[in-house]
Amino acid sequence: FKHYIIMKVLVTGAAGFIGSHLSEKLVSEGIEVIGIDSFLDYYPRQFKEKNLTNLKKSKNFKLIESSITEADLPAILSDINVVFHLAAQAGVRSSWGKQFSIYAKNNIEATQVLLENLKNCNIERFVYASSSSVYGDTSKLPMDEEDTPHPISPYGVSKLAGEHLSLLYYKNYSVPSVALRFFTVYGPRQRPDMAFHKFLKNIFEDKPIEVYGNGEQTRDFTYIADIVDATYSAAFANGAEGQVFNLGGGSRMKLKEILNIMQKLCGKEIKINYSETQKGDVKHTFANTAKARKILHFHPSTSVEEGIASEMEWIKEFYGF
């Protein structure tokens, strides 16, 4: 890996689940971090405020509360070496209908505005957080970066558009872009709308768990620390520019198997309500990570059992169970 001489980085979405963990790693490496976050009302602000607890104690971290489209980007970017672009409107199921305008603004337009401002900046790397949802409902597993993406949700379309924009600005303006396709990230600070967070909270509250579909669907679950390590590497790895990488934990499991692990860890009987599959949900995901292993030295090391146990401890502490 090459390390740049003076390090000052921008992390968009710095108060979010992945952004706050990444910012903590950067700060721990002695890197100066400018975080930007608009505190969108997709989920309660208190979660993001809590995510920032450790960062606020660091002299190496500064937060700007703004959307990307309204921020003074020329001033912010004037002395930045690396940009990690994690800010986005999340959620597959809520991206339909009138809501799509929020996704178009925060996922597509914000990415374009940021890249347009980076054309004339001498940055070392632009790291874009994409999603496994760009693949859609393919029967070809594992999913490979060379496969043609066919997203089946408006959210997936918006993330793929951001990916295309990143690579367009690489080809046309030499913005040194890298796109990372995250596969089902979980762990402490997971958003409250995400499955593991909802499941664990309901278990401790003795409420039934809502499962869409029959529980036979599979996901390639990826622990937060492994995602953070690979995202960090993407800023420094030689030969990563202009590339797309899958980041999956290598632990593809059925939802039913996950619930069994949770039941065992929590020591409580789980009540499950099954309901119909939601529009935009895919049946299976599984990442081919050979390219990330080779170029980013990506070696996920946290098992699903260990990862769920650590998220469970965080849930207990957060809600006071």
Side-chain angles (χ1 to χ4, degrees), residues 68-82:
I68 290 165
T69 48
E70 283 158 18
D72 184 358
L73 290 176
I76 294 168
L77 295 167
S78 61
D79 56 351
I80 293 286
N81 301 72
V82 173

Side-chain angles (χ1 to χ4, degrees), residues 80-138:
I80 293 286
N81 301 72
V82 173
V83 175
F84 294 96
H85 181 35
L86 277 67
Q89 180 78 359
V92 166
R93 296 180 193 123
S94 51
S95 62
W96 300 91
K98 288 181 179 170
Q99 295 288 324
F100 184 68
S101 61
I102 304 168
Y103 289 79
K105 183 173 193 294
N106 293 316
N107 299 4
I108 304 174
E109 188 188 336
T111 303
Q112 188 271 337
V113 166
L114 190 50
L115 287 160
E116 191 63 26
N117 275 275
L118 289 171
K119 278 192 324 194
N120 311 313
C121 294
N122 191 21
I123 63 158
E124 304 280 353
R125 199 62 56 89
F126 174 76
V127 182
Y128 172 76
S130 186
S131 163
S132 62
S133 62
V134 303
Y135 286 109
D137 220 355
T138 176

Side-chain angles (χ1 to χ4, degrees), residues 3 28 61 81 114 124-125 137 163 174 186 197 201 230 236 289 309:
H3 272 264
S28 75
F61 180 77
N81 301 72
L114 190 50
E124 304 280 353
R125 199 62 56 89
D137 220 355
E163 219 181 83
S174 302
Y186 72 99
H197 186 132
K201 181 173 181 276
F236 302 106
T289 56

Side-chain angles (χ1 to χ4, degrees), residues 15 70 73 80 140 160 162 221 229 257 286:
E70 283 158 18
L73 290 176
I80 293 286
K140 180 187 169 296
L160 184 58
F221 296 102
D229 286 347
E257 294 174 279
F286 185 36

Side-chain angles (χ1 to χ4, degrees), residues 49 78 104 107 127 171 182 199 211 224 247 258-259 272 288:
E49 291 287 2
S78 61
N107 299 4
V127 182
K171 288 195 174 77
F182 296 162
F199 291 173
V211 170
I224 181 65
L247 297 181
I258 293 293
L259 293 171
I272 303 170
N288 178 354

